[in-house]
Amino acid sequence: MNKVKYLTAPIFYANSTPHIGHLYTGLVCDLWKQINLVMGEDFFLSSGMDEHGQKVFQVAVNNGLNPKVHVDNISESFKKFFEKYNVRYDYWVRTTDEQHKKATQIFWNKLKENGYVYKHRYKGWYSISDESYLDVSEDYVSTSKNIVWREEECYYFKLSSFQEKLVEYYEKHPETIYPKIRYNEAMGFIKQGLKDFSISRPKERLSWGIEVPDDPDQVMYVWIDALANYLTLIGYPDQKYLNYWPATHVVGKDILKFHAIYWPALLMAADLLPPKKVVVHGWWLNGDQKVSKSLNNAIDIDGLTEVYGSDAIRYFLLSNMTLGEDANFKESLFHSTINAALSNKYGNILLRLLGIAENKNIKELKHCELDEFLNNVVNNTKNEANNFVKNISFFDQYIRSFSAAFDSLNNYISENTIWKQEGEQLNNSLYSLLYCFKVLSVLFSPILPECAKKIAKYFDVDLNFKDVSVHKNIIIKEPIVLFPRVME
């Protein structure tokens, strides 16, 4: 049985509509999926909706909706949002699905069977907004909102049993958490000491969730329900899940603890392998604040998309944030980036080449041996793509190679003054340049899928490296505009 490379985006909490932070996560995942497909690798990408919990229930009630109707509406809005930006998931999980519920209960039973679940009476402070029990000082409580005192019975997971195991595992496999700063953060948290944490809530105050097996008075804590999705959607407990597991997870830095500490411990407790990799990205900021519906500081990317298209948004978000760090969204930077990289460079190269062919009355270019310099440009870019396929940590290098590749083509045009050439020399130069342009466009189709479709149609090729790299004559057609100049 062949292993399928398995990547997950988080499942998104169904208490509000999607925004730029959700989109960035989806773009990072889609980028890695699509470069794998371009290079001929088998790949599986999942995401979906985290639909249980008190906050989801409360939002539904506030809007006068049945909770299931509410999550149905939110799920549909997320799916349409991602489709708009060409983020293509292979599986869209919903935690209200019956298959997920049953498989999650089996996962729970495995934890309990192995001795890592016990019942305990909790007395202490509880955060309504975070839906979690707190170990905090009186000063913290006195200055915080939405915190109440609770005394209730619930189930706990023996996280404390995995402190040494997690340290040992991460010291042997430091590449598991990327980037390094998040690895250090996770290790620091673990070494401070891990405490057992609650994994259920009394059903009398939280009915919107998955019931604990053999105890209908308890409902699973939303994070147990959510994290289990990575297994349940690939068929767990059926053995077919082994064709995919372990997974690579892409998450925002705010949920690092759940994915780098809680989740690996839960997997070990269930006799399963920890994740292959946890890739942690930063936040998009608006005025140095995280973009969030609760802060009412959402960025109107819909308006920019209507004017400039989804590829422009994809390129800007992917190229202006170093994976793992935060970045500020500035509309002025968006305009200058699109003009410099896409209109003046990428799109203009094709117009220049087709314009030269048109002025010279060339209808068809004969295939020939590639110019050595341009052949090296293609090979270097192919190497960057292959590195990225092998390891998602090469994300930034792959993005940067976009500008480097098309700078090389622009420089070649200028330095060789090809508009002055004639005959066979001009044929060979134009063929080499247009061949390189179409191959590079396919290698970068994960960044600019709409442009890549136009290029593929123009050159009559498929969007994969094997097909696009075949040498054949190039028919010159009407010039196509990939990116109009953005008005700043």
Side-chain angles (χ1 to χ4, degrees):
M1 189 162 52
N2 294 325
K3 275 278 189 180
V4 177
K5 193 178 290 184
Y6 174 33
L7 178 70
T8 78
I11 56 173
F12 302 103
Y13 203 41
N15 66 329
S16 188
T17 51
H19 57 63
I20 190 174
H22 302 117
L23 176 58
Y24 181 75
T25 306
L27 291 179
V28 172
C29 293
D30 183 68
L31 193 72
W32 200 41
K33 172 190 172 179
Q34 296 306 325
I35 194 61
N36 273 270
L37 296 180
V38 166
M39 303 307 288
E41 293 287 320
D42 201 3
F43 202 90
F44 187 81
L45 172 61
S46 76
S47 186
M49 301 306 300
D50 180 6
E51 298 181 336
H52 289 130
Q54 187 63 44
K55 284 189 287 187
V56 172
F57 180 82
Q58 196 57 55
V59 169
V61 170
N62 292 345
N63 290 329
L65 295 173
N66 174 282
K68 186 62 169 66
V69 173
H70 166 75
V71 296
D72 286 348
N73 293 341
I74 293 292
S75 177
E76 196 59 30
S77 72
F78 268 82
K79 289 171 72 174
K80 288 181 179 178
F81 177 74
F82 286 123
E83 287 169 6
K84 182 177 183 178
Y85 294 98
N86 283 296
V87 176
R88 294 143 284 186
Y89 295 107
D90 298 299
Y91 193 99
W92 186 256
V93 69
R94 298 182 59 187
T95 57
T96 52
D97 291 342
E98 284 303 316
Q99 183 270 338
H100 169 76
K101 292 179 183 179
K102 291 176 182 177
T104 301
Q105 288 175 326
I106 292 171
F107 181 69
W108 174 288
N109 281 336
K110 186 65 176 177
L111 299 175
K112 187 175 181 182
E113 175 187 318
N114 286 350
Y116 293 108
V117 174
Y118 64 95
K119 206 168 190 181
H120 176 67
R121 185 162 188 83
Y122 173 80
K123 291 183 181 181
W125 295 105
Y126 182 85
S127 170
I128 296 174
S129 57
D130 294 333
E131 299 187 44
S132 62
Y133 299 113
L134 302 174
D135 181 16
V136 295
S137 66
E138 290 291 336
D139 289 339
Y140 178 88
V141 172
S142 65
T143 58
S144 301
K145 297 179 181 179
N146 297 318
I147 292 179
V148 295
W149 180 265
R150 285 251 163 91
E151 295 186 23
E152 58 192 16
E153 273 198 327
C154 54
Y155 287 93
Y156 275 71
F157 172 69
K158 293 183 180 179
L159 183 64
S160 57
S161 299
F162 293 90
Q163 181 166 334
E164 292 181 7
K165 293 177 183 178
L166 287 172
V167 169
E168 180 182 3
Y169 179 78
Y170 283 136
E171 286 180 344
K172 286 183 179 178
H173 306 281
E175 75 286 352
T176 302
I177 304 175
Y178 180 85
K180 183 70 173 179
I181 187 173
R182 302 304 168 204
Y183 170 85
N184 293 337
E185 184 180 338
M187 286 292 276
F189 187 91
I190 295 168
K191 290 180 178 180
Q192 285 176 8
L194 298 181
K195 297 181 179 180
D196 298 351
F197 71 99
S198 168
I199 55 173
S200 76
R201 302 290 185 265
K203 192 174 183 180
E204 63 183 5
R205 69 173 180 84
L206 176 59
S207 59
W208 186 240
I210 299 176
E211 285 186 358
V212 170
D214 302 321
D215 193 343
D217 293 331
Q218 293 279 322
V219 169
M220 291 185 200
Y221 174 44
V222 66
W223 268 105
I224 299 297
D225 176 4
L227 290 167
N229 98 87
Y230 301 131
L231 286 175
T232 64
L233 69 90
I234 53 173
Y236 177 87
D238 189 293
Q239 291 297 297
K240 67 181 180 181
Y241 84 90
L242 293 171
N243 194 32
Y244 301 86
W245 197 257
T248 295
H249 301 310
V250 173
V251 300
K253 65 180 184 179
D254 50 332
I255 52 176
L256 167 67
K257 180 173 69 174
F258 296 100
H259 286 82
I261 299 171
Y262 290 11
W263 181 225
L266 288 163
L267 289 165
M268 290 176 180
D271 301 323
L272 299 170
L273 291 173
K276 183 177 182 180
K277 201 175 192 71
V278 179
V279 179
V280 188
H281 68 74
W283 292 337
W284 275 100
L285 307 176
N286 188 356
D288 296 322
Q289 283 188 311
K290 177 189 177 185
V291 172
S292 167
K293 291 286 183 180
S294 61
L295 295 174
N296 197 29
N297 65 344
I299 294 165
D300 180 24
I301 56 171
D302 286 342
L304 293 172
T305 305
E306 288 298 319
V307 178
Y308 306 115
S310 61
D311 273 4
I313 299 294
R314 285 178 67 105
Y315 181 82
F316 178 77
L317 296 182
L318 290 167
S319 64
N320 281 274
M321 176 185 278
T322 299
L323 190 63
E325 298 180 8
D326 295 342
N328 252 304
F329 189 99
K330 296 179 180 177
E331 196 165 326
S332 59
L333 180 60
F334 170 82
H335 290 157
S336 61
T337 297
I338 300 310
N339 280 335
L342 301 185
S343 300
N344 299 344
K345 185 185 297 184
Y346 176 62
N348 192 49
I349 289 173
L350 184 60
L351 288 176
R352 289 179 74 185
L353 295 176
L354 296 180
I356 292 169
E358 188 176 48
N359 289 337
K360 301 285 186 176
N361 199 30
I362 296 172
K363 304 298 183 184
E364 183 175 357
L365 295 167
K366 303 292 184 182
H367 74 81
C368 61
E369 186 175 343
L370 285 185
D371 176 272
E372 182 179 0
F373 173 81
L374 294 175
N375 193 42
N376 287 336
V377 172
V378 169
N379 287 333
N380 290 340
T381 306
K382 179 187 173 185
N383 289 337
E384 293 289 358
N386 277 326
N387 288 336
F388 186 37
V389 165
K390 293 172 186 174
N391 192 333
I392 194 173
S393 302
F394 282 88
F395 176 94
D396 292 311
Q397 291 92 318
Y398 168 75
I399 295 292
R400 286 195 293 268
S401 69
F402 178 92
S403 286
F406 290 110
D407 277 339
S408 296
L409 265 62
N410 251 333
N411 292 338
Y412 184 92
I413 295 170
S414 299
E415 290 172 6
N416 291 278
T417 58
I418 67 165
W419 56 90
K420 295 181 180 180
Q421 296 176 0
E422 300 289 345
E424 184 179 356
Q425 183 188 29
L426 177 58
N427 177 91
N428 294 351
S429 292
L430 279 176
Y431 176 84
S432 293
L433 283 161
L434 284 171
Y435 172 86
C436 288
F437 188 88
K438 72 171 180 174
V439 173
L440 292 173
S441 293
V442 169
L443 287 173
F444 292 117
S445 60
I447 303 175
L448 304 171
E450 292 299 325
C451 283
K453 290 175 190 174
K454 294 178 183 178
I455 296 299
K457 183 177 181 181
Y458 185 93
F459 290 101
D460 191 27
V461 294
D462 290 330
L463 288 174
N464 62 70
F465 182 75
K466 183 178 180 181
D467 185 61
V468 76
S469 57
V470 173
H471 285 279
K472 57 184 180 181
N473 291 356
I474 295 175
I475 306 299
I476 301 300
K477 306 173 187 175
E478 287 290 321
I480 55 173
V481 176
L482 296 177
F483 279 98
R485 183 171 175 80
V486 173
M487 299 302 294
E488 298 186 49

